[in-house]
Amino acid sequence: MAGKRGVAVPSTLFLSVTYLCLLSPPASTSASSPLRRNYYADVCPNVEDIVRAAVEAKFKETVVTIPGTLRLFAHDCFVQDHPDNLSLAGDGFDTVVRAKAAVDAVPQCRNKVSCADILVMATRDANGPRYPVELGRLDGLSSTAASVDGKIPLETFDLDQLNSLFGNLGLSQQDMIALSGAHTIGFSHCSFFANRIRNFSQSEPIDPTMNRKYAAALQAACRPDVDPSVVIPLDPTTPITFDKNYYVDLQNGMGLLTSDQTLFTDQRSRPTVNSWAANPQKFYQKFVLAMTRMGRVGVKTDPRRGNIRRDCSVLN
């Protein structure tokens, strides 16, 4: 757990614009997706190299680039703008903004590549597995902060709640478990798991599913008067490496959030956790498939429903 100490990061708020997933019908996750690989081959053939270079440059500045970008992608596949997205690391959004600027700096590519597609490419480049991405999205024509309670997975969710939420998007339990594996990188504020390490219940001050040594380390890092900017790695073993250790952590009672640990404590999902903890290649394969399927949720390709934003932070 990195010396059993939290990490202070800047508390940056930003506008998380609608990219690709606008709560559209789950049918958009089907194999008949209008997206395709090499979509920009004729208009901006080097776009993937340009985006990758921007992501790599940003990563050299801060490792928060990886979880910030990944979470931005995941949340935009559930909702439009929402206050919950303000908790996302500003570096994730900054990565997209920089990549968009780099793409538009090439005259042939200017105003030809959507922010939605740049986010998809940046997300792929920010995490571990390399895989071909499907492109061809348009950006949303609206950006609202309307209430979307119940449409974002919460840290307190059990397996039934997780399956219901992901199922509404046409994603399976296996997809959900694979996407949860993105928690092999990233961080969480203490408030999201404080109930598990103090006052869990009248009879159990600590969540009984949590490893006791891990709980003690978390208590030391997240004292009652902890600075709100302090964050804790979601994967205490290898917090900035994309690997299988998230699932190994769950086996050892070291899932940070309730929604993490439930994947092991629930008998229905435990076999998948055990399988991927023992076979990282299988996890990587399923993760790529799940990311591809999630990237098809709510896609907009009709010019009447979307356009290419000149600035990812504002509507045209």
Side-chain angles (χ1 to χ4, degrees), residues 185-198:
I185 50 179
F187 308 88
S188 173
H189 292 284
C190 297
S191 60
F192 287 101
F193 57 86
N195 68 306
R196 300 190 67 210
I197 60 176
R198 291 185 181 89

Side-chain angles (χ1 to χ4, degrees), residues 19 119 129 169 281 294 312:
Y19 286 114
L119 175 58
L169 297 175
Q281 290 304 317
M294 185 168 66
C312 293

Side-chain angles (χ1 to χ4, degrees), residues 2-311:
K4 299 182 181 180
R5 296 180 61 188
V7 181
V9 297
S11 180
T12 304
L13 301 185
F14 62 92
L15 176 66
S16 172
V17 300
T18 301
Y19 286 114
L20 59 149
C21 300
L22 258 179
L23 295 176
S24 293
S28 60
T29 62
S30 70
S32 61
S33 168
L35 306 176
R36 67 176 188 270
R37 300 175 185 177
N38 303 314
Y39 179 84
Y40 296 102
D42 295 329
V43 297
C44 186
N46 297 322
V47 63
E48 296 196 39
D49 293 333
I50 297 170
V51 172
R52 182 176 298 112
V55 172
E56 291 175 350
K58 179 67 178 179
F59 177 71
K60 290 178 181 178
E61 295 179 14
T62 172
V63 296
V64 180
T65 297
I66 298 176
T69 305
L70 197 58
R71 190 178 176 207
L72 180 60
F73 170 75
H75 276 223
D76 278 339
C77 284
F78 287 94
V79 298
Q80 300 186 57
D81 301 322
H82 184 260
D84 281 0
N85 272 357
L86 297 180
S87 68
L88 299 173
D91 292 282
F93 187 65
D94 186 53
T95 301
V96 175
V97 170
R98 292 193 190 188
K100 172 69 170 174
V103 171
D104 282 353
V106 178
Q108 180 182 4
C109 302
R110 186 170 298 129
N111 298 327
K112 299 289 179 60
V113 183
S114 69
C115 298
D117 278 343
I118 287 176
L119 175 58
V120 171
M121 289 181 276
T123 301
R124 184 268 312 275
D125 297 332
N127 64 60
R130 293 291 186 188
Y131 54 93
V133 292
E134 298 176 335
L135 304 171
R137 300 165 183 80
L138 293 175
D139 299 315
L141 298 178
S142 65
S143 186
T144 69
S147 174
V148 291
D149 292 341
K151 297 183 176 66
I152 290 179
L154 300 180
E155 71 279 359
T156 57
F157 274 12
D158 60 22
L159 187 67
D160 288 330
Q161 291 169 308
L162 289 169
N163 280 337
S164 176
L165 186 67
F166 282 80
N168 287 339
L169 297 175
L171 300 172
S172 67
Q173 175 174 293
Q174 187 172 83
D175 290 330
M176 179 272 293
I177 299 172
L179 293 169
S180 297
H183 281 183
T184 186
I185 50 179
F187 308 88
S188 173
H189 292 284
C190 297
S191 60
F192 287 101
F193 57 86
N195 68 306
R196 300 190 67 210
I197 60 176
R198 291 185 181 89
N199 303 316
F200 181 74
S201 70
Q202 289 186 342
S203 59
E204 295 277 1
I206 298 173
D207 186 338
T209 67
M210 179 175 280
N211 180 293
R212 285 298 183 267
K213 290 184 178 180
Y214 183 46
L218 292 174
Q219 289 175 334
C222 294
R223 299 183 182 280
D225 60 348
V226 66
D227 186 326
S229 67
V230 169
V231 292
I232 302 297
L234 288 161
D235 174 359
T237 308
T238 52
I240 60 172
T241 302
F242 194 97
D243 56 25
K244 67 168 187 175
N245 284 337
Y246 168 77
Y247 300 107
V248 176
D249 292 336
L250 300 186
Q251 291 176 318
N252 294 324
M254 295 168 68
L256 186 61
L257 308 177
T258 296
S259 56
D260 291 322
Q261 194 58 47
T262 193
L263 301 182
F264 184 75
T265 57
D266 196 301
Q267 296 288 341
R268 295 169 294 172
S269 49
R270 182 181 294 182
T272 301
V273 171
N274 288 337
S275 174
W276 293 349
N279 189 336
Q281 290 304 317
K282 182 176 292 186
F283 160 52
Y284 298 153
Q285 292 170 2
K286 298 300 183 182
F287 180 80
V288 168
L289 288 175
M291 287 290 286
T292 300
R293 285 169 55 80
M294 185 168 66
R296 295 172 181 167
V297 175
V299 162
K300 289 174 283 297
T301 58
D302 186 342
R304 295 171 297 181
R305 297 186 60 226
N307 57 26
I308 294 176
R309 293 189 184 181
R310 293 183 291 273
D311 181 339

